[in-house]
Amino acid sequence: MYKKKQRKIESFHITGDEKIFKEKMLNWCNRFSIFSFLDSCGYTDKYGRYECLAAAGTEKKFTGSHSEFHRFYEENNDWLFGHFSYDLQFENGQDKIHDGFGSTFFFQPRVVLIVQKNLLIIESVSRQPGEVFQAILQQEIIPAKTGNNQKINIRADIEKDEYITIIQQLKKHILRGDCYEINFCIQFFAANYAIDPLELFNKLIAVSPNPFSCLYKNEHNFLICASPERFLQKAGRQIISQPIKGTAGRDLQNEANDNLQKKLLRESRKEQTENVMAVDLVRNDLSRFCDEGSVHVPELFGIYTFPQVYQMISTVQGKVSCNINLSTIIDAAFPMASMTGAPKKKVMELIRQYEKTKRGIFSGAVGYISPDKNFDFNVVIRSIVYNNTTNRLSFPVGGGITWLSEPEKEYEECLLKASAIRKILE
């Protein structure tokens, strides 16, 4: 089992502006070829464990198929950070495009940084925590650029007319009974456009701060993510999933209209239909490994407020046996219901058929596993994938399609979800 003496652990008080300190932490992490920076952006709920959690440097790492990950997971009773790609279920399938992250990647970090209430806890394998703390304090904050002379040409892999045609085809599948709901995505992308991932991440979370934001670097590949959604969290025997289905744009210039948008979302039959289908699918997934009768829904159709949008979020909870392992859970629950649909197997086939680009890490999950085998993973949405050697960036967006879906409105919802990213790029 994991022993605390394997890592030198020390706590330090954070003085001054916490936002600036986190930027210094991020700058320090970026000196490593692999790091993961998980930021709650100040959001708190009864399930959250950390305000900010970062890992940098590599003691050991795993790159390979999900089926091979189990041994690495069992043999390393230490912190592990990494991701599961959406496409791990299709590891032997033909790629439409490869984003560089691979189907499954985890690393055991040299240094772990934990921010909690003006306190920084440093857990280090080799360096003294005090040395790490001083190195972070000495990081220089470079002011963001006020302009970018590069011309950016953002394109979509599916244009509006084709999108509407595909949604009509998907509704025919629903009418025939092939499926009840399907999450369909399009990808926006730009080629030959150089960015600073750290600067872009800071801009993104300033415009769209979200509780499961992250900047994740693996060699030349960056994930710049402002996700509002939790995929799975395990804390002791409790496991929860919080699917998001239902989005409404906000009107920050008109309070009455803003409140109306929130009310319409709460009462929308279409959005509730999408949400409850995702909830039912999550309940079914969790029931495959949770104790019998323990799976329940403590919150249904909760309306949560974010700077750009209102979201409809539900919480599904269950209890697992003490010896349950992560591989068993991932086999049962991944990919997440909110990014697939029902029935899951069929809609995943339709997603492969109709989407133009392989999803890769998008709509996968990024997170951590703690030494006590607890974990927390997000849903990779509201994200930019960037490679700093090819200078290619992409940001897919999508939504749940049901029989009640109106193709034009679904397309408008995609544009709304992409607006925060387009704003900081353009």
Side-chain angles (χ1 to χ4, degrees):
M1 292 294 292
Y2 171 79
K3 296 180 181 180
K4 286 290 185 182
K5 68 179 182 180
Q6 291 178 333
R7 289 185 179 272
K8 304 177 183 71
I9 302 174
E10 197 169 343
S11 299
F12 305 88
H13 287 285
I14 301 171
T15 59
D17 190 320
E18 186 176 297
K19 179 178 178 293
I20 292 177
F21 183 79
K22 287 199 291 187
E23 286 188 33
K24 290 186 174 186
M25 278 177 53
L26 187 54
N27 286 356
W28 182 82
C29 289
N30 193 45
R31 66 199 298 177
F32 297 90
S33 61
I34 297 173
F35 75 82
S36 182
F37 187 88
L38 312 176
D39 192 357
S40 71
C41 294
Y43 285 92
T44 57
D45 64 20
K46 61 182 178 181
Y47 303 110
R49 298 182 68 186
Y50 306 109
E51 184 175 333
C52 182
L53 181 63
T58 308
E59 285 294 303
K60 298 178 183 177
K61 62 182 178 180
F62 172 86
T63 304
S65 68
H66 170 61
S67 59
E68 299 168 335
F69 173 65
H70 178 70
R71 178 179 294 181
F72 181 80
Y73 164 78
E74 290 293 339
E75 290 178 351
N76 290 277
N77 294 311
D78 193 8
W79 290 98
L80 297 176
F81 290 74
H83 77 272
F84 296 105
S85 162
Y86 170 86
D87 298 286
L88 67 83
Q89 302 287 358
F90 301 99
E91 287 168 344
N92 297 320
Q94 184 178 1
D95 288 356
K96 296 178 183 178
I97 203 167
H98 195 277
D99 62 17
F101 280 99
S103 65
T104 304
F105 177 85
F106 280 85
F107 69 101
Q108 179 188 13
R110 292 179 182 174
V111 177
V112 176
L113 307 171
I114 304 168
V115 176
Q116 246 344 9
K117 295 181 179 178
N118 297 317
L119 191 69
L120 173 67
I121 301 171
I122 299 178
E123 299 192 15
S124 177
V125 172
S126 54
R127 296 185 62 179
Q128 292 296 329
E131 294 177 5
V132 175
F133 183 62
Q134 290 302 316
I136 292 172
L137 292 178
Q138 292 167 13
Q139 291 296 305
E140 182 180 358
I141 299 297
I142 301 173
K145 300 173 185 176
T146 57
N148 193 331
N149 293 326
Q150 296 181 83
K151 183 179 180 181
I152 181 168
N153 179 24
I154 297 175
R155 293 178 288 164
D157 63 355
I158 300 174
E159 298 296 342
K160 181 177 181 180
D161 289 346
E162 185 180 7
Y163 177 88
I164 290 172
T165 299
I166 291 173
I167 300 304
Q168 291 169 341
Q169 290 295 320
L170 294 177
K171 291 186 70 173
K172 289 180 181 178
H173 283 286
I174 295 171
L175 183 62
R176 288 200 299 264
D178 294 336
C179 60
Y180 307 101
E181 177 188 12
I182 179 170
N183 181 277
F184 183 73
C185 296
I186 60 178
Q187 184 186 97
F188 294 90
F189 64 95
N192 300 316
Y193 188 71
I195 63 171
D196 178 346
L198 273 67
E199 180 182 335
L200 197 62
F201 175 71
N202 288 326
K203 286 182 178 179
L204 181 60
I205 62 174
V207 172
S208 185
N210 279 293
F212 302 100
S213 299
C214 70
L215 181 61
Y216 176 44
K217 176 185 178 183
N218 187 346
E219 303 295 345
H220 299 290
N221 303 295
F222 291 82
L223 175 71
I224 304 158
C225 176
S227 174
E229 184 170 1
R230 170 182 275 129
F231 167 44
L232 277 179
Q233 183 203 67
K234 177 179 174 290
R237 293 188 60 201
Q238 176 181 277
I239 194 159
I240 65 165
S241 182
Q242 295 180 296
I244 293 179
K245 278 296 170 189
T247 304
R250 299 195 59 192
D251 186 348
L252 300 180
Q253 307 301 317
N254 187 317
E255 183 178 356
N257 191 49
D258 190 51
N259 290 333
L260 177 61
Q261 296 303 312
K262 185 176 183 180
K263 180 176 183 291
L264 291 174
L265 175 61
R266 181 183 292 111
E267 297 174 354
S268 169
R269 180 187 168 199
K270 182 257 184 186
E271 303 289 17
Q272 289 181 358
T273 298
E274 285 188 29
N275 193 284
V276 79
M277 285 183 183
V279 167
D280 285 344
L281 191 54
V282 172
R283 290 175 61 191
N284 180 68
D285 289 345
L286 267 58
S287 294
R288 295 168 62 187
F289 57 83
C290 285
D291 293 349
E292 185 176 353
S294 70
V295 177
H296 63 289
V297 184
E299 182 179 35
L300 185 65
F301 306 152
I303 305 299
Y304 287 73
T305 303
F306 297 96
Q308 306 288 331
V309 296
Y310 290 112
Q311 301 272 198
M312 184 179 287
I313 306 176
S314 295
T315 301
V316 185
Q317 182 175 311
K319 286 188 177 180
V320 296
S321 62
C322 296
N323 60 355
I324 196 75
N325 64 65
L326 177 60
S327 295
T328 299
I329 293 171
I330 294 299
D331 283 339
F334 191 84
M336 59 289 300
S338 61
M339 296 305 294
T340 51
K344 187 182 286 189
K345 182 178 180 180
K346 180 60 179 179
V347 298
M348 289 177 69
E349 293 173 0
L350 293 173
I351 286 169
R352 296 282 287 186
Q353 177 181 344
Y354 285 100
E355 289 186 3
K356 299 294 185 181
T357 307
K358 186 177 179 183
R359 291 188 180 183
I361 197 171
F362 174 75
S363 69
V366 170
Y368 71 88
I369 305 166
S370 62
D372 55 9
K373 298 300 185 185
N374 289 322
F375 55 79
D376 207 353
F377 288 92
N378 73 0
V379 177
V380 179
I381 52 177
R382 318 287 168 82
S383 300
I384 299 169
V385 176
Y386 177 66
N387 182 291
N388 67 0
T389 57
T390 63
N391 288 343
R392 185 186 191 277
L393 64 84
S394 62
F395 54 102
V397 296
I401 308 303
T402 69
W403 177 246
L404 296 174
S405 295
E406 299 178 34
E408 287 270 358
K409 289 186 177 180
E410 293 296 337
Y411 185 75
E412 290 172 4
E413 183 176 317
C414 286
L415 297 182
L416 172 64
K417 290 176 177 176
S419 63
I421 295 176
R422 295 193 71 127
K423 181 177 180 179
I424 64 170
L425 288 173
E426 296 179 336

